[in-house]
């Protein structure tokens, strides 16, 4: 043994009960199924009702991930919840998830990197696990973005959905080579100069209100396709792998055009790209673990597969991680 690796041993997800189609939204704002599908690839999204809070969705996703791993609450000593839509300003949603699952040991905290939150969460958990600070972590992306949307603004309200996805990471001894199972490398970036392009116009320390999401879509689009691929290139370089060796590319699900343009730019074949934006919309930090769960459960992702996850969110924050399942 020369290294500890953070190995994915289970995954799970949870979606609200209510499906809302593009035609449903066209009753509310001036838009159309055609426009939404052509510009984004989104056909429907799930929207939470009042009882389906971020922690409720997160608890369900974590429970499914624990079941998938064959583990119980006593086996987890770290809970990281990536969210920008916590139930409350404090305590953290992670502690509510911890309590809901009956986990009474270890640490739990929220991590805020907007849509890049899950990648940040995986990278953070990996540090705890590979330094021996924790043995098994739940990393959950859970969001109720419908609560912070301006339902009068057609340029944003048609894009987002609610949901949660979770993985269980376990520290395991490994050879320290790129053939190991687990997180092989992660690359994170942020640049706060881009705040105005994607932000929420409220908060406890400024307006004292929750606020609404504001976005200059075109600018975000340009950055997502033009600049974010640096972290993926980093991940390939530092792990000594190439796009050809990748089995699955599971990016943040914001827009089909962004995803396909990024894959093309990186030389990743389109049939290796996992796409769920059509059915989930953009669920921010939940989008990658939701997509992982879909591709794992339908049999695409198999043990030993090389999987690249990547996301960009408000800030801007962005990151990528290369994982052997
Ligand atoms: O998760 C965080 C990361 N976020 C993203 O990655 C989002 C990135 N951005 C995007 O995905 C795209 O920029 C959008 C999907 C948001 C917009 O697509 P676009 O091709 O950049 O369209 P646009 O903003 O340039 O708008 C084109 C037209 C405008 O009309 P005019 O000015 O050309 O007359 C908009 O007013 O489409 C209009 N429009 C709409 N029409 C029907 C904007 N929203 C809608 C709508 N329905 N919902």
């Amino acid at each position: 043994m020369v290294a500890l690796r953070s190995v994915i041993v289970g995954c799970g997800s949870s979606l609200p009960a209510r499906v809302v189609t593009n035609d449903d939204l066209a009753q509310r704002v001036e838009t159309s199924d055609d426009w939404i599908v052509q510009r984004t690839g989104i056909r429907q999204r799930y929207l939470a009702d009042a009882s389906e809070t971020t922690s409720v969705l997160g608890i369900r996703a974590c429970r499914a991930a624990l079941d998938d791993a064959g583990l119980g609450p006593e086996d987890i000593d770290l809970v990281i919840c990536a969210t920008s839509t916590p139930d409350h300003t404090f305590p953290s949603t992670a502690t509510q998830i911890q309590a809901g699952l009956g986990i009474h040991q270890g640490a739990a905290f929220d991590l805020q990197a907007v849509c890049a939150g899950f990648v940040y969460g995986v990278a953070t958990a990996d540090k705890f696990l590979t330094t021996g600070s924790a043995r098994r972590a739940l990393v959950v992306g859970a969001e109720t973005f419908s609560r912070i949307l301006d339902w009068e603004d057609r340029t944003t309200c048609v894009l987002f959905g609610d949901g949660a996805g979770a993985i269980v990471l376990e520290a395991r001894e490994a050879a320290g080579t790129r053939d190991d199972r687990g997180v092989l490398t992660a690359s994170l970036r942020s640049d706060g100069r881009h705040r105005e392009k994607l932000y929420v116009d409220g908060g406890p320390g400024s307006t004292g209100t929750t606020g609404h999401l504001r976005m200059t879509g075109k600018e975000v689009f340009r950055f997502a396709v033009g600049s974010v691929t640096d972290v993926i290139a980093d991940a390939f370089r530092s792990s000594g792998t190439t796009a050809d060796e990748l089995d699955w590319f599971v990016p943040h699900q914001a827009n089909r055009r962004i995803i396909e343009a990024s894959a093309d730019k990186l030389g990743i074949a389109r049939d290796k790209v996992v796409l769920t934006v059509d059915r989930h919309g953009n669920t921010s930090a939940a989008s990658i673990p939701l997509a992982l769960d879909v591709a794992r459960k339908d049999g695409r992702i198999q043990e030993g597969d090389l999987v690249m996850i990547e996301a960009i969110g408000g800030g801007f924050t962005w990151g990528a991680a290369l994982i052997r399942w």
Side-chain angles (χ1 to χ4, degrees), residues 30-32 35-36 39-40 115 154-155 158-160 198 215 217-218 220-221 224 252 254-255 257-258 282 284 312-314:
E30 204 184 320
T31 190
S32 66
W35 191 95
I36 301 172
R39 300 287 172 135
T40 71
C115 300
R154 69 174 183 169
T155 69
V158 303
L159 304 175
F160 295 89
L198 177 53
M215 177 167 73
K218 261 205 180 338
V220 182
F221 193 108
H252 172 47
N255 184 316
R257 289 187 296 145
I258 294 177
N282 180 347
S284 189
I312 176 205

PDB file of all heavy atoms in Angstrom, residues 30-32 35-36 39-40 115 154-155 158-160 198 215 217-218 220-221 224 252 254-255 257-258 282 284 312-314, ligand 1:
ATOM      1  N   GLU A  30     -43.868  34.258 -21.108  1.00  0.00           N
ATOM      2  CA  GLU A  30     -43.872  34.205 -22.566  1.00  0.00           C
ATOM      3  C   GLU A  30     -42.672  33.395 -23.060  1.00  0.00           C
ATOM      4  O   GLU A  30     -41.549  33.898 -23.174  1.00  0.00           O
ATOM      5  CB  GLU A  30     -43.817  35.636 -23.116  1.00  0.00           C
ATOM      6  CG  GLU A  30     -44.391  35.720 -24.509  1.00  0.00           C
ATOM      7  CD  GLU A  30     -44.231  37.117 -25.076  1.00  0.00           C
ATOM      8  OE1 GLU A  30     -44.411  38.086 -24.308  1.00  0.00           O
ATOM      9  OE2 GLU A  30     -43.890  37.222 -26.267  1.00  0.00           O
ATOM     10  N   THR A  31     -42.905  32.129 -23.290  1.00  0.00           N
ATOM     11  CA  THR A  31     -41.845  31.250 -23.779  1.00  0.00           C
ATOM     12  C   THR A  31     -42.492  30.131 -24.557  1.00  0.00           C
ATOM     13  O   THR A  31     -43.719  30.105 -24.726  1.00  0.00           O
ATOM     14  CB  THR A  31     -40.986  30.711 -22.607  1.00  0.00           C
ATOM     15  OG1 THR A  31     -39.838  30.068 -23.124  1.00  0.00           O
ATOM     16  CG2 THR A  31     -41.758  29.746 -21.716  1.00  0.00           C
ATOM     17  N   SER A  32     -41.687  29.200 -25.043  1.00  0.00           N
ATOM     18  CA  SER A  32     -42.261  28.069 -25.778  1.00  0.00           C
ATOM     19  C   SER A  32     -41.369  26.846 -25.604  1.00  0.00           C
ATOM     20  O   SER A  32     -40.170  26.965 -25.329  1.00  0.00           O
ATOM     21  CB  SER A  32     -42.353  28.415 -27.270  1.00  0.00           C
ATOM     22  OG  SER A  32     -41.046  28.544 -27.795  1.00  0.00           O
ATOM     23  N   TRP A  35     -38.395  27.058 -28.042  1.00  0.00           N
ATOM     24  CA  TRP A  35     -37.274  27.929 -27.645  1.00  0.00           C
ATOM     25  C   TRP A  35     -36.435  27.233 -26.585  1.00  0.00           C
ATOM     26  O   TRP A  35     -35.208  27.173 -26.694  1.00  0.00           O
ATOM     27  CB  TRP A  35     -37.779  29.270 -27.100  1.00  0.00           C
ATOM     28  CG  TRP A  35     -36.650  30.275 -26.928  1.00  0.00           C
ATOM     29  CD1 TRP A  35     -36.255  31.231 -27.818  1.00  0.00           C
ATOM     30  CD2 TRP A  35     -35.763  30.389 -25.798  1.00  0.00           C
ATOM     31  NE1 TRP A  35     -35.172  31.931 -27.326  1.00  0.00           N
ATOM     32  CE2 TRP A  35     -34.849  31.440 -26.092  1.00  0.00           C
ATOM     33  CE3 TRP A  35     -35.633  29.727 -24.584  1.00  0.00           C
ATOM     34  CZ2 TRP A  35     -33.836  31.835 -25.204  1.00  0.00           C
ATOM     35  CZ3 TRP A  35     -34.604  30.106 -23.703  1.00  0.00           C
ATOM     36  CH2 TRP A  35     -33.731  31.158 -24.021  1.00  0.00           C
ATOM     37  N   ILE A  36     -37.090  26.684 -25.568  1.00  0.00           N
ATOM     38  CA  ILE A  36     -36.336  26.087 -24.453  1.00  0.00           C
ATOM     39  C   ILE A  36     -35.539  24.872 -24.938  1.00  0.00           C
ATOM     40  O   ILE A  36     -34.357  24.722 -24.611  1.00  0.00           O
ATOM     41  CB  ILE A  36     -37.272  25.715 -23.281  1.00  0.00           C
ATOM     42  CG1 ILE A  36     -38.013  26.956 -22.763  1.00  0.00           C
ATOM     43  CG2 ILE A  36     -36.484  25.080 -22.145  1.00  0.00           C
ATOM     44  CD1 ILE A  36     -39.105  26.669 -21.745  1.00  0.00           C
ATOM     45  N   ARG A  39     -32.567  26.086 -27.317  1.00  0.00           N
ATOM     46  CA  ARG A  39     -31.481  26.837 -26.680  1.00  0.00           C
ATOM     47  C   ARG A  39     -30.788  26.067 -25.566  1.00  0.00           C
ATOM     48  O   ARG A  39     -29.646  26.363 -25.232  1.00  0.00           O
ATOM     49  CB  ARG A  39     -32.007  28.145 -26.073  1.00  0.00           C
ATOM     50  CG  ARG A  39     -32.641  29.081 -27.048  1.00  0.00           C
ATOM     51  CD  ARG A  39     -31.586  29.731 -27.922  1.00  0.00           C
ATOM     52  NE  ARG A  39     -32.205  30.498 -28.977  1.00  0.00           N
ATOM     53  CZ  ARG A  39     -31.850  31.723 -29.337  1.00  0.00           C
ATOM     54  NH1 ARG A  39     -30.852  32.314 -28.733  1.00  0.00           N
ATOM     55  NH2 ARG A  39     -32.477  32.327 -30.316  1.00  0.00           N
ATOM     56  N   THR A  40     -31.493  25.106 -24.937  1.00  0.00           N
ATOM     57  CA  THR A  40     -30.933  24.480 -23.729  1.00  0.00           C
ATOM     58  C   THR A  40     -30.972  22.946 -23.726  1.00  0.00           C
ATOM     59  O   THR A  40     -30.228  22.326 -22.971  1.00  0.00           O
ATOM     60  CB  THR A  40     -31.713  24.925 -22.461  1.00  0.00           C
ATOM     61  OG1 THR A  40     -33.007  24.310 -22.485  1.00  0.00           O
ATOM     62  CG2 THR A  40     -31.866  26.431 -22.392  1.00  0.00           C
ATOM     63  N   CYS A 115     -23.110  25.979  -8.636  1.00  0.00           N
ATOM     64  CA  CYS A 115     -23.232  24.779  -9.477  1.00  0.00           C
ATOM     65  C   CYS A 115     -21.979  23.907  -9.443  1.00  0.00           C
ATOM     66  O   CYS A 115     -22.031  22.731  -9.804  1.00  0.00           O
ATOM     67  CB  CYS A 115     -23.562  25.167 -10.906  1.00  0.00           C
ATOM     68  SG  CYS A 115     -25.109  26.074 -11.024  1.00  0.00           S
ATOM     69  N   ARG A 154     -38.383  35.281 -17.653  1.00  0.00           N
ATOM     70  CA  ARG A 154     -38.332  34.102 -18.521  1.00  0.00           C
ATOM     71  C   ARG A 154     -36.908  33.703 -18.900  1.00  0.00           C
ATOM     72  O   ARG A 154     -36.669  32.577 -19.340  1.00  0.00           O
ATOM     73  CB  ARG A 154     -39.140  34.343 -19.792  1.00  0.00           C
ATOM     74  CG  ARG A 154     -38.522  35.371 -20.719  1.00  0.00           C
ATOM     75  CD  ARG A 154     -39.262  35.472 -22.023  1.00  0.00           C
ATOM     76  NE  ARG A 154     -38.586  36.425 -22.906  1.00  0.00           N
ATOM     77  CZ  ARG A 154     -38.867  36.574 -24.167  1.00  0.00           C
ATOM     78  NH1 ARG A 154     -39.839  35.881 -24.725  1.00  0.00           N
ATOM     79  NH2 ARG A 154     -38.204  37.445 -24.898  1.00  0.00           N
ATOM     80  N   THR A 155     -35.972  34.644 -18.748  1.00  0.00           N
ATOM     81  CA  THR A 155     -34.596  34.306 -19.144  1.00  0.00           C
ATOM     82  C   THR A 155     -33.908  33.392 -18.123  1.00  0.00           C
ATOM     83  O   THR A 155     -32.867  32.814 -18.419  1.00  0.00           O
ATOM     84  CB  THR A 155     -33.720  35.569 -19.356  1.00  0.00           C
ATOM     85  OG1 THR A 155     -33.498  36.200 -18.091  1.00  0.00           O
ATOM     86  CG2 THR A 155     -34.387  36.556 -20.304  1.00  0.00           C
ATOM     87  N   VAL A 158     -36.981  29.370 -16.649  1.00  0.00           N
ATOM     88  CA  VAL A 158     -37.218  28.138 -17.412  1.00  0.00           C
ATOM     89  C   VAL A 158     -36.030  27.169 -17.316  1.00  0.00           C
ATOM     90  O   VAL A 158     -36.122  26.038 -17.797  1.00  0.00           O
ATOM     91  CB  VAL A 158     -37.491  28.449 -18.906  1.00  0.00           C
ATOM     92  CG1 VAL A 158     -38.677  29.397 -19.042  1.00  0.00           C
ATOM     93  CG2 VAL A 158     -36.266  29.026 -19.604  1.00  0.00           C
ATOM     94  N   LEU A 159     -34.938  27.631 -16.720  1.00  0.00           N
ATOM     95  CA  LEU A 159     -33.689  26.869 -16.818  1.00  0.00           C
ATOM     96  C   LEU A 159     -33.459  25.880 -15.672  1.00  0.00           C
ATOM     97  O   LEU A 159     -32.703  24.926 -15.828  1.00  0.00           O
ATOM     98  CB  LEU A 159     -32.484  27.832 -16.858  1.00  0.00           C
ATOM     99  CG  LEU A 159     -32.492  28.887 -17.969  1.00  0.00           C
ATOM    100  CD1 LEU A 159     -31.307  29.823 -17.800  1.00  0.00           C
ATOM    101  CD2 LEU A 159     -32.446  28.222 -19.339  1.00  0.00           C
ATOM    102  N   PHE A 160     -34.061  26.140 -14.529  1.00  0.00           N
ATOM    103  CA  PHE A 160     -33.648  25.421 -13.311  1.00  0.00           C
ATOM    104  C   PHE A 160     -34.692  24.430 -12.809  1.00  0.00           C
ATOM    105  O   PHE A 160     -35.881  24.552 -13.112  1.00  0.00           O
ATOM    106  CB  PHE A 160     -33.303  26.420 -12.209  1.00  0.00           C
ATOM    107  CG  PHE A 160     -32.096  27.270 -12.541  1.00  0.00           C
ATOM    108  CD1 PHE A 160     -32.237  28.469 -13.223  1.00  0.00           C
ATOM    109  CD2 PHE A 160     -30.828  26.835 -12.202  1.00  0.00           C
ATOM    110  CE1 PHE A 160     -31.127  29.240 -13.559  1.00  0.00           C
ATOM    111  CE2 PHE A 160     -29.712  27.594 -12.531  1.00  0.00           C
ATOM    112  CZ  PHE A 160     -29.865  28.802 -13.205  1.00  0.00           C
ATOM    113  N   LEU A 198     -23.589  36.178 -12.603  1.00  0.00           N
ATOM    114  CA  LEU A 198     -24.456  35.132 -12.055  1.00  0.00           C
ATOM    115  C   LEU A 198     -24.446  35.273 -10.543  1.00  0.00           C
ATOM    116  O   LEU A 198     -23.437  34.975  -9.901  1.00  0.00           O
ATOM    117  CB  LEU A 198     -23.919  33.749 -12.492  1.00  0.00           C
ATOM    118  CG  LEU A 198     -24.633  32.499 -11.977  1.00  0.00           C
ATOM    119  CD1 LEU A 198     -26.122  32.536 -12.251  1.00  0.00           C
ATOM    120  CD2 LEU A 198     -24.028  31.254 -12.625  1.00  0.00           C
ATOM    121  N   MET A 215     -28.885  36.465 -13.887  1.00  0.00           N
ATOM    122  CA  MET A 215     -27.828  35.899 -14.737  1.00  0.00           C
ATOM    123  C   MET A 215     -27.791  36.580 -16.092  1.00  0.00           C
ATOM    124  O   MET A 215     -28.830  36.830 -16.696  1.00  0.00           O
ATOM    125  CB  MET A 215     -28.078  34.395 -14.935  1.00  0.00           C
ATOM    126  CG  MET A 215     -27.075  33.743 -15.871  1.00  0.00           C
ATOM    127  SD  MET A 215     -27.108  31.939 -15.824  1.00  0.00           S
ATOM    128  CE  MET A 215     -28.630  31.611 -16.688  1.00  0.00           C
ATOM    129  N   GLY A 217     -26.960  35.326 -19.189  1.00  0.00           N
ATOM    130  CA  GLY A 217     -26.762  33.980 -19.734  1.00  0.00           C
ATOM    131  C   GLY A 217     -25.655  33.887 -20.767  1.00  0.00           C
ATOM    132  O   GLY A 217     -24.847  32.956 -20.750  1.00  0.00           O
ATOM    133  N   LYS A 218     -25.630  34.868 -21.680  1.00  0.00           N
ATOM    134  CA  LYS A 218     -24.642  34.819 -22.770  1.00  0.00           C
ATOM    135  C   LYS A 218     -23.202  34.837 -22.245  1.00  0.00           C
ATOM    136  O   LYS A 218     -22.341  34.133 -22.759  1.00  0.00           O
ATOM    137  CB  LYS A 218     -24.842  36.028 -23.683  1.00  0.00           C
ATOM    138  CG  LYS A 218     -25.647  35.670 -24.918  1.00  0.00           C
ATOM    139  CD  LYS A 218     -25.361  36.605 -26.057  1.00  0.00           C
ATOM    140  CE  LYS A 218     -26.166  36.264 -27.295  1.00  0.00           C
ATOM    141  NZ  LYS A 218     -26.661  34.908 -27.412  1.00  0.00           N
ATOM    142  N   VAL A 220     -22.191  33.872 -19.250  1.00  0.00           N
ATOM    143  CA  VAL A 220     -21.900  32.604 -18.565  1.00  0.00           C
ATOM    144  C   VAL A 220     -21.607  31.530 -19.602  1.00  0.00           C
ATOM    145  O   VAL A 220     -20.659  30.746 -19.468  1.00  0.00           O
ATOM    146  CB  VAL A 220     -23.074  32.171 -17.651  1.00  0.00           C
ATOM    147  CG1 VAL A 220     -22.733  30.881 -16.916  1.00  0.00           C
ATOM    148  CG2 VAL A 220     -23.424  33.269 -16.664  1.00  0.00           C
ATOM    149  N   PHE A 221     -22.410  31.524 -20.638  1.00  0.00           N
ATOM    150  CA  PHE A 221     -22.239  30.556 -21.731  1.00  0.00           C
ATOM    151  C   PHE A 221     -20.827  30.662 -22.306  1.00  0.00           C
ATOM    152  O   PHE A 221     -20.116  29.670 -22.457  1.00  0.00           O
ATOM    153  CB  PHE A 221     -23.270  30.855 -22.823  1.00  0.00           C
ATOM    154  CG  PHE A 221     -23.415  29.773 -23.848  1.00  0.00           C
ATOM    155  CD1 PHE A 221     -24.537  28.967 -23.896  1.00  0.00           C
ATOM    156  CD2 PHE A 221     -22.421  29.549 -24.794  1.00  0.00           C
ATOM    157  CE1 PHE A 221     -24.674  27.962 -24.846  1.00  0.00           C
ATOM    158  CE2 PHE A 221     -22.536  28.548 -25.746  1.00  0.00           C
ATOM    159  CZ  PHE A 221     -23.666  27.760 -25.775  1.00  0.00           C
ATOM    160  N   ALA A 224     -18.264  29.405 -19.875  1.00  0.00           N
ATOM    161  CA  ALA A 224     -18.373  27.957 -19.656  1.00  0.00           C
ATOM    162  C   ALA A 224     -17.704  27.187 -20.798  1.00  0.00           C
ATOM    163  O   ALA A 224     -17.014  26.195 -20.565  1.00  0.00           O
ATOM    164  CB  ALA A 224     -19.833  27.554 -19.526  1.00  0.00           C
ATOM    165  N   HIS A 252     -21.641  19.179 -15.324  1.00  0.00           N
ATOM    166  CA  HIS A 252     -22.800  19.910 -14.809  1.00  0.00           C
ATOM    167  C   HIS A 252     -23.823  20.067 -15.933  1.00  0.00           C
ATOM    168  O   HIS A 252     -23.468  20.367 -17.068  1.00  0.00           O
ATOM    169  CB  HIS A 252     -22.334  21.282 -14.303  1.00  0.00           C
ATOM    170  CG  HIS A 252     -23.459  22.189 -13.930  1.00  0.00           C
ATOM    171  ND1 HIS A 252     -24.510  21.775 -13.144  1.00  0.00           N
ATOM    172  CD2 HIS A 252     -23.697  23.494 -14.247  1.00  0.00           C
ATOM    173  CE1 HIS A 252     -25.344  22.794 -12.987  1.00  0.00           C
ATOM    174  NE2 HIS A 252     -24.880  23.836 -13.650  1.00  0.00           N
ATOM    175  N   ALA A 254     -26.292  22.189 -17.324  1.00  0.00           N
ATOM    176  CA  ALA A 254     -26.942  23.502 -17.426  1.00  0.00           C
ATOM    177  C   ALA A 254     -27.558  23.691 -18.794  1.00  0.00           C
ATOM    178  O   ALA A 254     -28.647  24.260 -18.919  1.00  0.00           O
ATOM    179  CB  ALA A 254     -25.930  24.609 -17.156  1.00  0.00           C
ATOM    180  N   ASN A 255     -26.854  23.205 -19.808  1.00  0.00           N
ATOM    181  CA  ASN A 255     -27.281  23.501 -21.162  1.00  0.00           C
ATOM    182  C   ASN A 255     -26.635  22.483 -22.103  1.00  0.00           C
ATOM    183  O   ASN A 255     -25.420  22.303 -22.087  1.00  0.00           O
ATOM    184  CB  ASN A 255     -26.816  24.928 -21.526  1.00  0.00           C
ATOM    185  CG  ASN A 255     -27.296  25.360 -22.883  1.00  0.00           C
ATOM    186  OD1 ASN A 255     -27.236  24.609 -23.851  1.00  0.00           O
ATOM    187  ND2 ASN A 255     -27.774  26.582 -22.962  1.00  0.00           N
ATOM    188  N   ARG A 257     -26.069  22.580 -25.203  1.00  0.00           N
ATOM    189  CA  ARG A 257     -25.110  23.165 -26.158  1.00  0.00           C
ATOM    190  C   ARG A 257     -23.745  23.383 -25.502  1.00  0.00           C
ATOM    191  O   ARG A 257     -22.712  23.186 -26.124  1.00  0.00           O
ATOM    192  CB  ARG A 257     -25.649  24.486 -26.725  1.00  0.00           C
ATOM    193  CG  ARG A 257     -26.829  24.295 -27.681  1.00  0.00           C
ATOM    194  CD  ARG A 257     -27.206  25.621 -28.326  1.00  0.00           C
ATOM    195  NE  ARG A 257     -27.681  26.585 -27.344  1.00  0.00           N
ATOM    196  CZ  ARG A 257     -27.476  27.889 -27.395  1.00  0.00           C
ATOM    197  NH1 ARG A 257     -26.784  28.423 -28.367  1.00  0.00           N
ATOM    198  NH2 ARG A 257     -27.973  28.684 -26.466  1.00  0.00           N
ATOM    199  N   ILE A 258     -23.756  23.822 -24.222  1.00  0.00           N
ATOM    200  CA  ILE A 258     -22.481  24.013 -23.508  1.00  0.00           C
ATOM    201  C   ILE A 258     -21.772  22.670 -23.355  1.00  0.00           C
ATOM    202  O   ILE A 258     -20.571  22.539 -23.592  1.00  0.00           O
ATOM    203  CB  ILE A 258     -22.712  24.624 -22.103  1.00  0.00           C
ATOM    204  CG1 ILE A 258     -23.268  26.044 -22.213  1.00  0.00           C
ATOM    205  CG2 ILE A 258     -21.423  24.599 -21.274  1.00  0.00           C
ATOM    206  CD1 ILE A 258     -23.585  26.687 -20.860  1.00  0.00           C
ATOM    207  N   ASN A 282     -31.490  22.436 -14.949  1.00  0.00           N
ATOM    208  CA  ASN A 282     -30.261  22.736 -14.208  1.00  0.00           C
ATOM    209  C   ASN A 282     -30.576  22.687 -12.710  1.00  0.00           C
ATOM    210  O   ASN A 282     -31.269  23.557 -12.187  1.00  0.00           O
ATOM    211  CB  ASN A 282     -29.768  24.129 -14.621  1.00  0.00           C
ATOM    212  CG  ASN A 282     -28.498  24.545 -13.903  1.00  0.00           C
ATOM    213  OD1 ASN A 282     -28.083  23.920 -12.926  1.00  0.00           O
ATOM    214  ND2 ASN A 282     -27.887  25.619 -14.376  1.00  0.00           N
ATOM    215  N   SER A 284     -28.259  22.813 -10.349  1.00  0.00           N
ATOM    216  CA  SER A 284     -27.090  23.373  -9.660  1.00  0.00           C
ATOM    217  C   SER A 284     -26.221  22.257  -9.062  1.00  0.00           C
ATOM    218  O   SER A 284     -25.865  21.326  -9.774  1.00  0.00           O
ATOM    219  CB  SER A 284     -27.547  24.402  -8.620  1.00  0.00           C
ATOM    220  OG  SER A 284     -26.433  25.086  -8.091  1.00  0.00           O
ATOM    221  N   ILE A 312     -19.257  24.435 -13.614  1.00  0.00           N
ATOM    222  CA  ILE A 312     -18.985  25.861 -13.384  1.00  0.00           C
ATOM    223  C   ILE A 312     -20.203  26.467 -12.706  1.00  0.00           C
ATOM    224  O   ILE A 312     -21.342  26.096 -13.012  1.00  0.00           O
ATOM    225  CB  ILE A 312     -18.699  26.621 -14.692  1.00  0.00           C
ATOM    226  CG1 ILE A 312     -18.518  28.098 -14.367  1.00  0.00           C
ATOM    227  CG2 ILE A 312     -19.674  26.349 -15.770  1.00  0.00           C
ATOM    228  CD1 ILE A 312     -18.786  29.105 -15.404  1.00  0.00           C
ATOM    229  N   GLY A 313     -19.957  27.368 -11.765  1.00  0.00           N
ATOM    230  CA  GLY A 313     -21.063  28.034 -11.084  1.00  0.00           C
ATOM    231  C   GLY A 313     -20.744  29.479 -10.766  1.00  0.00           C
ATOM    232  O   GLY A 313     -19.658  29.983 -11.100  1.00  0.00           O
ATOM    233  N   GLY A 314     -21.671  30.121 -10.105  1.00  0.00           N
ATOM    234  CA  GLY A 314     -21.543  31.535  -9.742  1.00  0.00           C
ATOM    235  C   GLY A 314     -20.232  31.805  -9.016  1.00  0.00           C
ATOM    236  O   GLY A 314     -19.692  30.955  -8.320  1.00  0.00           O
TER     237      GLY A 314
HETATM  238  O1  LIG B   1     -25.532  26.687 -13.869  1.00  0.00           O
HETATM  239  C1  LIG B   1     -24.835  27.880 -13.976  1.00  0.00           C
HETATM  240  C2  LIG B   1     -24.395  28.065 -15.318  1.00  0.00           C
HETATM  241  N1  LIG B   1     -25.429  28.649 -16.160  1.00  0.00           N
HETATM  242  C3  LIG B   1     -25.389  28.412 -17.437  1.00  0.00           C
HETATM  243  O2  LIG B   1     -24.543  27.662 -17.885  1.00  0.00           O
HETATM  244  C4  LIG B   1     -26.313  29.177 -18.361  1.00  0.00           C
HETATM  245  C5  LIG B   1     -25.522  29.655 -19.536  1.00  0.00           C
HETATM  246  N2  LIG B   1     -26.296  30.347 -20.538  1.00  0.00           N
HETATM  247  C6  LIG B   1     -27.190  29.725 -21.329  1.00  0.00           C
HETATM  248  O3  LIG B   1     -27.434  28.543 -21.196  1.00  0.00           O
HETATM  249  C7  LIG B   1     -27.817  30.520 -22.440  1.00  0.00           C
HETATM  250  O4  LIG B   1     -27.170  31.764 -22.563  1.00  0.00           O
HETATM  251  C8  LIG B   1     -29.339  30.758 -22.238  1.00  0.00           C
HETATM  252  C9  LIG B   1     -30.076  29.450 -22.452  1.00  0.00           C
HETATM  253  C10 LIG B   1     -29.588  31.292 -20.845  1.00  0.00           C
HETATM  254  C11 LIG B   1     -29.845  31.749 -23.280  1.00  0.00           C
HETATM  255  O5  LIG B   1     -29.543  31.325 -24.588  1.00  0.00           O
HETATM  256  P1  LIG B   1     -28.941  32.354 -25.649  1.00  0.00           P
HETATM  257  O6  LIG B   1     -28.808  31.617 -26.909  1.00  0.00           O
HETATM  258  O7  LIG B   1     -27.701  32.939 -25.028  1.00  0.00           O
HETATM  259  O8  LIG B   1     -30.133  33.407 -25.785  1.00  0.00           O
HETATM  260  P2  LIG B   1     -30.137  34.970 -25.480  1.00  0.00           P
HETATM  261  O9  LIG B   1     -29.961  35.221 -24.024  1.00  0.00           O
HETATM  262  O10 LIG B   1     -29.193  35.637 -26.417  1.00  0.00           O
HETATM  263  O11 LIG B   1     -31.606  35.347 -25.898  1.00  0.00           O
HETATM  264  C12 LIG B   1     -32.003  35.254 -27.264  1.00  0.00           C
HETATM  265  C13 LIG B   1     -33.432  35.775 -27.381  1.00  0.00           C
HETATM  266  C14 LIG B   1     -33.634  37.141 -26.725  1.00  0.00           C
HETATM  267  O12 LIG B   1     -34.532  37.881 -27.537  1.00  0.00           O
HETATM  268  P3  LIG B   1     -33.983  39.009 -28.545  1.00  0.00           P
HETATM  269  O13 LIG B   1     -33.263  39.995 -27.653  1.00  0.00           O
HETATM  270  O14 LIG B   1     -33.064  38.306 -29.482  1.00  0.00           O
HETATM  271  O15 LIG B   1     -35.233  39.530 -29.162  1.00  0.00           O
HETATM  272  C15 LIG B   1     -34.295  36.817 -25.430  1.00  0.00           C
HETATM  273  O16 LIG B   1     -35.113  37.867 -24.947  1.00  0.00           O
HETATM  274  O17 LIG B   1     -34.332  34.890 -26.705  1.00  0.00           O
HETATM  275  C16 LIG B   1     -35.150  35.638 -25.791  1.00  0.00           C
HETATM  276  N3  LIG B   1     -35.467  34.778 -24.649  1.00  0.00           N
HETATM  277  C17 LIG B   1     -36.497  33.946 -24.639  1.00  0.00           C
HETATM  278  N4  LIG B   1     -37.440  33.649 -25.543  1.00  0.00           N
HETATM  279  C18 LIG B   1     -38.340  32.704 -25.220  1.00  0.00           C
HETATM  280  C19 LIG B   1     -34.802  34.685 -23.486  1.00  0.00           C
HETATM  281  N5  LIG B   1     -35.391  33.777 -22.685  1.00  0.00           N
HETATM  282  C20 LIG B   1     -36.448  33.293 -23.380  1.00  0.00           C
HETATM  283  C21 LIG B   1     -37.421  32.328 -23.103  1.00  0.00           C
HETATM  284  N6  LIG B   1     -38.352  32.072 -24.061  1.00  0.00           N
HETATM  285  N7  LIG B   1     -37.463  31.649 -21.939  1.00  0.00           N
END
